[in-house]
Amino acid sequence: MSNLSRRNVLTLGVALGLVSAASVVPAWAAGTADPWWVWDDEVDRLVAGLVDGGQVPAVNTALRSWADNGDPLPAGLPAGLAAWLGRVNGLPSWADAAKLRRAADFNRRKDTYLFMLYGLGSGIMSTVIPREARSVYWSAGGADMQDRAAKTFTFGYDLSDLNAFEPGGQFVVTATKTRLVHAAVRHLLPQSPHWRAVSDEQVPISNGDILVTFHSLGTFVHRKLREWHVPMSAADEEAFLHQWQVAIHLLGVRDEFIPKTWAEADAQSAQVLTPLLAPTTEGKELAEDLLGLTAQIDLGVTRGFLNEFVRYVLSDEVGDWLGLRRDYAAAALVRTGWPAYIAFREGLLPIAPAGFYLFDQFLRAIAMLFLNKMSSPASTPITIPTGNRPGA
């Protein structure tokens, strides 16, 4: 479906009252393109043809061995797909190698906080972003949240790796494969009557939707690190932003939409993320699935402690939306112990605070949560789906 036809369908839906006023996304600045009307047309057409032609299993087999950024494209790919991959699978001309290397070092130094914020903060926040929650739930990935969490972890793991953007790293390939998955979901989800019944859009995962996800990840994490007084130099902060700028470019977001500074990112987040947060039936189930995964790992971390950490990171309002039961003893430990834990790790306290071991165990549990059945993330290949959630 072309951008013009997509625009006409959605505009008609709004005019007829098929899309509620509360669900309409915020308008973009006047005089600029609107990211909610921008998809990824070339690869969308390519992947739709692969899905409809039954070629996806063979393509997934061919792509399985393609992992490192410096790897040649695998043989046996359809000519159109191979040509597209040859054009897009690389860094943009404006990528700054020095900043990317500094970002990699920053990720190494702050990995403890990044693990937790990406996993518990951003991961659970995604369940109260209505469009994202519904798209995830009704797509194939929503039926197996452990597998999907592992694939999401693979994306974050590869992005945070020291060699993420180097020839021996894997993030460029991981992002390109994710872009193929997005194209398949854009083709498949509109065929689901269950998704259509609850969605306020005709085609999912626009540039606007990807920007919302970026703000639930990069912008959110940066803001939390500052709130927690985690030491960061200006150069570190700039490098961390640059890493994300390159990442969302690789996911197909037009450069004109990518924030140039953290101030711009914060302003954009306030416009396109914060007003949209809300509970959904699908999101509540996804959150319970994600939080329930920790029951498989016995490291002394109770569900009450986990619930209270989510509330601490995201707010009591979000905790109430998701129906997270209160544990006031755990809440007191989190709210007093976590700042002390950060201070000790950053060398600001001479003696480990009470509860230090519990927090260390907790972080280990979160790390293991996003590993595929507690194995290497490399064992979680990103594959193009051929259908939606079973029964959808």
Side-chain angles (χ1 to χ4, degrees):
M1 183 183 291
S2 69
N3 281 353
L4 180 59
S5 61
R6 286 167 168 160
R7 182 185 295 274
N8 289 340
V9 167
L10 278 142
T11 303
L12 178 62
V14 173
L16 294 177
L18 301 178
V19 181
S20 69
S23 65
V24 176
V25 295
W28 205 248
T32 64
D34 187 335
W36 277 278
W37 301 100
V38 174
W39 287 268
D40 209 352
D41 291 345
E42 182 180 3
V43 70
D44 287 356
R45 287 191 295 269
L46 282 169
V47 173
L50 298 176
V51 172
D52 293 344
Q55 295 175 275
V56 168
V59 169
N60 281 334
T61 298
L63 292 176
R64 188 173 298 142
S65 62
W66 187 46
D68 290 355
N69 301 332
D71 287 346
L73 287 178
L77 294 174
L81 177 61
W84 180 81
L85 289 172
R87 290 198 306 275
V88 306
N89 189 62
L91 297 177
S93 60
W94 46 263
D96 186 317
K99 288 182 181 178
L100 293 176
R101 284 192 293 269
R102 188 178 188 104
D105 183 63
F106 176 77
N107 291 332
R108 177 189 60 80
R109 287 182 279 120
K110 307 300 179 184
D111 60 354
T112 298
Y113 318 125
L114 297 177
F115 238 144
M116 194 280 297
L117 285 170
Y118 285 142
L120 268 189
S122 301
I124 302 302
M125 189 192 299
S126 71
T127 70
V128 293
I129 301 173
R131 284 185 169 184
E132 185 166 347
R134 287 164 174 153
S135 292
V136 168
Y137 184 87
W138 291 111
S139 65
D144 185 348
M145 284 307 291
Q146 178 158 339
D147 180 70
R148 187 180 188 279
K151 289 174 179 175
T152 303
F153 177 87
T154 296
F155 183 92
Y157 181 94
D158 291 345
L159 175 62
S160 300
D161 187 70
L162 279 171
N163 297 315
F165 297 94
E166 303 290 336
Q170 299 188 347
F171 182 75
V172 177
V173 170
T174 293
T176 303
K177 287 184 177 181
T178 302
R179 196 169 169 182
L180 293 172
V181 172
H182 287 171
V185 171
R186 280 191 287 267
H187 179 61
L188 291 165
L189 261 187
Q191 301 175 38
S192 164
H194 299 278
W195 179 80
R196 292 199 306 270
V198 296
S199 177
D200 65 352
E201 55 186 346
Q202 296 294 316
V203 180
I205 320 180
S206 67
N207 268 204
D209 293 318
I210 296 173
L211 284 168
V212 167
T213 300
F214 155 64
H215 290 305
S216 75
L217 289 158
T219 307
F220 164 76
V221 167
H222 176 255
R223 185 169 61 249
K224 279 296 180 182
L225 291 176
R226 297 197 70 175
E227 286 178 8
W228 291 347
H229 306 291
V230 174
M232 298 182 289
S233 69
D236 284 342
E237 294 184 69
E238 185 177 357
F240 186 63
L241 174 62
H242 188 66
Q243 162 200 270
W244 275 105
Q245 290 169 329
V246 174
I248 57 179
H249 167 93
L250 293 175
L251 289 176
V253 174
R254 288 187 187 175
D255 291 351
E256 65 195 270
F257 302 139
I258 299 174
K260 305 295 189 296
T261 64
W262 279 121
E264 187 178 329
D266 286 332
Q268 195 180 91
S269 179
Q271 178 193 16
V272 305
L273 172 63
T274 307
L276 302 182
L277 297 178
T280 62
T281 300
E282 293 85 354
K284 290 179 183 177
E285 186 170 329
L286 292 177
E288 187 59 33
D289 286 347
L290 286 171
L291 293 171
L293 290 177
T294 57
Q296 302 174 31
I297 305 166
D298 182 13
L299 289 176
V301 178
T302 68
R303 178 58 190 269
F305 184 86
L306 189 65
N307 287 353
E308 291 300 336
F309 216 104
V310 171
R311 286 178 174 272
Y312 176 67
V313 174
L314 293 180
S315 77
D316 281 331
E317 182 179 30
V318 170
D320 290 343
W321 286 348
L322 297 176
L324 303 183
R325 295 181 62 179
R326 299 305 310 259
D327 182 329
Y328 292 103
L333 175 60
V334 169
R335 294 174 190 277
T336 58
W338 182 250
Y341 177 84
I342 292 176
F344 178 73
R345 286 191 61 93
E346 295 297 330
L348 303 176
L349 283 180
I351 301 174
F356 180 85
Y357 177 74
L358 176 62
F359 284 110
D360 254 13
Q361 292 291 85
F362 175 56
L363 287 163
R364 187 184 306 174
I366 296 303
M368 294 177 73
L369 167 64
F370 291 97
L371 295 173
N372 188 22
K373 302 185 189 304
M374 293 166 282
S375 63
S376 165
S379 67
T380 309
I382 295 175
T383 54
I384 304 169
T386 57
N388 294 314
R389 185 186 184 95

